[in-house]
Amino acid sequence: MAVQVGDLAGKAVLVTGSSTGIGAAVARGFGAQGMRVAVHGNSNMEQAEQVAADIRAAGGNAAVLRADVRDREACARLVQEAHAALGALDVLVNNAGGVVDRSPIRDATDLLFDQVMALNATSVFACSRAALPIMEAAGGGAIISTTSLAARNGGGGRSVLYAAAKGFVSSFTRGLAKEVARFNIRVNAVAPGVIDKPNKSWTTPPHQVEAALRMTPMRRQGTVEECVGAYLYLASGELSSFVTGQVIEVNGGLYMP
Ligand code: NAD
């Protein structure tokens, strides 16, 4: 992205789930702004290293960290490690997440429920909780979480648990924004619609993607790069100083039917 946002250069950001997909694009986007970026991966550390290498090759500064964000203690450690590696933590992006598996609710196992909630909801709570004292002590900061269109429309077929976990992320964003506004910490979220990921590892069946596209005024999927601007905007105090508790929809005009 050629656009430079004045106040981001030199700031420190942790992007969870930034080895692939939207998170990788966001990490690269922040790196291109001259930010110090903690790239985070779990099962795919080679890809995390590659994202960090890309950021460094473009003149940026990047550290690579590993954690399973389904584990609350691992989340706390991850945030502490990012703070230590970067020397500050101005922005936290809670991006790691995913559908895990699809199931009608009557057949959904306790294990699936626990896994979906741990990955998408617990991680956002645990990483945010760990970042708050750091940001409070520093005089402010920005937390941005990746929610989903699913939080509004209940999700595509057999992904109710995912949609409900993302509903948690959207509500958590609004509530936490109110709680920490007095510490100059802004809390917002980005809700992607149907985004075409480079690695195509998503679990959305093709017929569901086609159905969504029929309802999308722009008649196409978005790209991960097209998500980046919303994160830059929400991270920048210069651009969004009076914006908190908001969910920015990046979906080509696809609203709840
Ligand atoms: P992705 O699979 O490329 O990214 C998910 C990231 O989460 C990966 O980098 C992965 O390493 C990380 N992750 C998964 N399980 C983890 C664990 N246990 N511990 C640590 N990290 C873990 O897919 P994506 O589409 O880029 O997803 C990024 C975010 O965007 C997710 O929160 C997803 O729910 C959300 N989202 C995606 C779309 C879309 O259409 N692609 C739409 C709406 C929301």
Side-chain angles (χ1 to χ4, degrees):
M1 183 174 290
V3 177
Q4 287 294 311
V5 181
D7 65 325
L8 290 181
K11 295 259 173 72
V13 59
L14 164 63
V15 184
T16 71
S18 47
S19 56
T20 59
I22 295 168
V26 168
R28 289 191 179 97
F30 281 138
Q33 296 297 321
M35 292 178 77
R36 287 168 288 149
V37 185
V39 177
H40 158 254
N42 184 40
S43 58
N44 37 19
M45 293 311 292
E46 265 177 38
Q47 287 165 289
E49 292 289 353
Q50 186 56 54
V51 173
D54 293 345
I55 291 171
R56 291 184 198 116
N61 204 309
V64 179
L65 301 171
R66 180 175 201 161
D68 183 340
V69 298
R70 292 172 300 184
D71 175 342
R72 291 179 180 85
E73 284 176 18
C75 287
R77 264 198 312 277
L78 171 66
V79 169
Q80 298 304 335
E81 285 171 9
H83 185 223
L86 305 176
L89 188 65
D90 302 296
V91 182
L92 165 67
V93 178
N94 293 310
N95 170 76
V99 173
V100 181
D101 203 358
R102 290 176 184 270
S103 170
I105 290 298
R106 60 172 291 168
D107 300 328
T109 61
D110 289 349
L111 179 64
L112 178 62
F113 178 90
D114 290 346
Q115 287 181 338
V116 173
M117 295 303 156
L119 177 57
N120 293 285
T122 309
S123 64
V124 172
F125 156 66
C127 289
S128 301
R129 179 175 62 178
L132 288 174
I134 296 169
M135 292 182 174
E136 206 180 305
I143 297 175
I144 307 165
S145 300
T146 305
T147 179
S148 173
L149 175 74
R152 295 177 65 204
N153 71 6
R158 299 176 294 126
S159 58
V160 175
L161 293 177
Y162 170 73
K166 290 299 192 182
F168 170 91
V169 177
S170 297
S171 295
F172 183 80
T173 296
R174 297 185 187 101
L176 184 60
K178 288 194 266 187
E179 194 174 295
V180 300
R182 67 200 168 103
F183 300 119
N184 194 31
I185 301 170
R186 295 181 304 109
V187 188
N188 291 288
V190 178
V194 184
I195 305 299
D196 192 13
K197 295 185 296 182
N199 61 4
K200 306 267 189 205
S201 67
W202 60 1
T203 56
T204 309
H207 71 273
Q208 270 180 32
V209 174
E210 283 157 26
L213 294 188
R214 276 197 295 277
M215 292 187 295
T216 303
M218 288 189 167
R219 290 277 188 263
R220 65 173 178 86
Q221 298 174 35
T223 66
V224 294
E225 287 77 18
E226 286 178 306
C227 297
V228 174
Y231 293 85
L232 297 183
Y233 168 72
L234 293 172
S236 164
E238 206 168 298
L239 295 182
S240 61
S241 54
F242 200 47
V243 178
T244 198
Q246 302 304 307
V247 176
I248 295 186
E249 311 274 341
V250 182
N251 61 23
L254 173 61
Y255 298 117
M256 184 169 169

